[in-house]
Amino acid sequence: MLKWGVIQAWNGSRLNPNGKSRTRESAVPSTPAHHEAPRMNGLFLHFSPILSVFLVCAVSSAEDSGRFTPLEPLDAPTIIAASESYPGGAFNVENLIDGRVLTEHFSASKGTETFIEFDLGESVTVAGFRHTDRNDPATIKSSRLVFSDSPDFDNPIATVPIEHVNTPGGQTRTVLPKPVTARYVRWQVTALGPNGHGTVGGAEIGFFTGGESEAEPTADRITARGVAALLRGDGPPVRPMQITVEHPYAEEVDARLLITGLDPEPIHLRLGSQSVEVSLAAEETAVEIEVALEVSGKVVAKTEMTLDPVRQWEFSFLPHSHVDIGYTHVQTEVEQKQWEHLELAIDIARRTADYPPESQYHWNSETLWAVDSYLKQASEAQRETFFEAVRKEWIHLDALYGNELTGLCRPEELMRLVDCARRISRENNITIDSAMISDVPGYTWGLVPALAQSGVKYLSIAPNHIHRIGRTLDAWGDRPFYWVSPSGEDRVLCWMAGKAYSWFHPSRVNILTTENAPDPFFDYLAELEDADYPYDMVQVRYSIGGDNGPPDQALCEFVKAWNAKYVWPRMAITTTSRLMHEFEDRYGEQIPEVSGDFTPYWEDGAGSSAKETAQARNAAERLVQAETLWSLLAPGDYPGDDFYSAWRDVILYNEH
């Protein structure tokens, strides 16, 4: 009997057999068909790394039928029509069928007029549907599928309503009440999520067909992973292990997990991934673990793994606002927002000064553009409060004036990027030895001597992680290096954050939780282990609310709660300079050296403003000549503030 049900399941994405939990997986019995549950493009993808989600589907019980019907992914369809995409070219409708959840499509504010029409290539039987929503508050509440044998949809064969999980990044997986044979499918949004934002669409869409019925679930697969954590408790710390079963069948069934050294663990299998967490004694040496899945008294799948001891990981959060001048608001409004952020950050740091040291607040300036203008308009009392906060490390000053397109800068302009830092340092007896650059994916080699010769020893890099960055993040994310100057005499320690600068822009409340499992931080550690990352320190940029976002005390509460729950990994809120100093002290001997340009990329935009670029370069050349002549002819009358302001304007032309 078919019935509608709402199934809650844990996200299985953190349960992949990555890193030091080495797995050896097998099926019992093994059959040629359906030996592996589909992973990347199939219905049985693990859930979003942010949320536990609801699965709405038509289900039947295997106990009722005694049979299991596998669902198999159809080839990606062709899109033949769609509502207008959001302008800019980065959110085209083809993103929905490219097999990548990081790329998204959304309409140009079409709301419930958002639709897409698909050609499946031939008349096929469709038994299931999957939709992955945008990782954004603009979610979908419901939609419908209209099936037809003609592309005009004048005589539809069937219409199927879809209730969506209605959460950012959530996956909706639907088993059709009755399979439909058709060539064309129209997907139409019918209701929006609570945000009510009309720019809806999604990250992925897929269709599925039913396979040949089986007497037992031979395609079920187990993955087991030791979570990279030690949990505090009343007794000795324990090691969590998470076990996921992928059940690629429409029918539900009760089963048991048989785990080495533990009592059998009951599990109810539904379409997709189900996970359980068990606790093991924390061992100082590797141990062998076997997990088997038993259905109706018969083992249908098993896996073996070597569980290594827990590494002593440390997450270091760098709170900052991504300073994007004129992108989210006009320049003067951005400036005002950034002034407010500075004062709010001081207030949060004052309120959390009695917290455990790791959860006390610190704010990293990212750039000095807003700091410069804030100090110019501040009262004497505000200036005193500000520099007191700097000396307490409540406010940390990073050296670059802006997030510069360094490939457009002449050599003198590169030196002027740290002019403000040198001035503040000199006038207030403050050391500024680190810098940040965000969003921009390429950096000219001349930046190294410009930083090093101004006392800047460290550079935290965090490019855009979504589009138009080439291979920058893939090649250099979480691969710290000493960047050696063209002369070979200077070097700067650089560290590109593996999760870029905007990991927390969407859905931050769902990421910052110690209650919901699984957790994206453990996913991240699994990725690092899988990549043989050799260090135990992890840089995490914390920038919320999109570009020009505010400070956030919720991070302090999260870090405090996390460290109360876990022995390892530890978390701390820190500053760019402090993080880099400690990293260099620990690992300086094993950090590699590199040289050359990180090919500037976004500088190609100057081609659309060639006249203005020429004007800026001519102005820079005239400033160099004027400063030289003034220094020679009238050094005592040198107008330093005027030249500083003029260079500021040149620098801001080349800002990203």
Side-chain angles (χ1 to χ4, degrees), residues 216-327:
E216 57 191 39
T218 59
D220 281 346
R221 288 294 176 271
I222 307 171
T223 56
R225 195 184 85 187
V227 181
L230 288 184
L231 282 166
R232 301 183 189 277
D234 296 334
V238 295
R239 168 77 178 272
M241 184 174 74
Q242 293 192 334
I243 303 167
T244 295
V245 178
E246 292 210 8
H247 183 69
Y249 297 93
E251 295 81 12
E252 300 180 9
V253 67
D254 287 318
R256 297 199 309 169
L257 291 167
L258 310 178
I259 308 159
T260 301
L262 299 179
D263 292 335
E265 186 76 23
I267 185 171
H268 186 72
L269 300 182
R270 309 173 177 96
L271 172 65
S273 298
Q274 285 74 234
S275 302
V276 298
E277 183 173 291
V278 297
S279 295
L280 305 172
E283 302 288 350
E284 296 183 359
T285 58
V287 295
E288 299 294 324
I289 302 290
E290 180 178 278
V291 182
L293 177 66
E294 183 184 81
V295 176
S296 300
K298 183 175 182 180
V299 172
V300 296
K302 68 179 180 180
T303 187
E304 298 174 345
M305 64 182 300
T306 302
L307 195 61
D308 289 332
V310 174
R311 284 175 65 172
Q312 297 182 359
W313 291 102
E314 299 175 31
F315 286 105
S316 296
F317 287 88
L318 300 180
H320 68 104
S321 175
H322 174 48
V323 182
D324 213 333
I325 308 171
Y327 182 65

Side-chain angles (χ1 to χ4, degrees), residues 413-429:
E413 291 170 58
L414 291 173
M415 299 300 297
R416 297 291 178 172
L417 287 176
V418 285
D419 206 3
C420 181
R422 289 193 299 266
R423 173 180 285 203
I424 291 176
S425 180
R426 181 177 64 251
E427 293 177 353
N428 299 279
N429 193 28

Side-chain angles (χ1 to χ4, degrees), residues 79 104 188 581:
I79 295 173
E104 296 183 348
Q188 174 81 52
H581 271 289

Side-chain angles (χ1 to χ4, degrees), residues 43 346 575 608:
L43 181 60
I346 294 173
T575 67
S608 65

Side-chain angles (χ1 to χ4, degrees), residues 359-377:
S359 53
Q360 294 173 7
Y361 198 67
H362 304 276
W363 180 252
N364 295 276
S365 64
E366 190 186 77
T367 67
L368 291 179
W369 167 74
V371 172
D372 190 26
S373 58
Y374 175 81
L375 294 174
K376 288 178 181 176
Q377 58 84 47

Side-chain angles (χ1 to χ4, degrees), residues 404-457:
E404 205 76 2
L405 299 176
T406 56
L408 295 181
C409 293
R410 297 160 63 89
E412 181 67 17
E413 291 170 58
L414 291 173
M415 299 300 297
R416 297 291 178 172
L417 287 176
V418 285
D419 206 3
C420 181
R422 289 193 299 266
R423 173 180 285 203
I424 291 176
S425 180
R426 181 177 64 251
E427 293 177 353
N428 299 279
N429 193 28
I430 292 171
T431 299
I432 302 177
D433 62 0
S434 65
M436 277 187 174
I437 192 164
S438 303
D439 208 1
V440 182
Y443 329 97
T444 190
W445 199 2
L447 185 61
V448 179
L451 293 174
Q453 292 172 27
S454 296
V456 179
K457 301 186 293 183

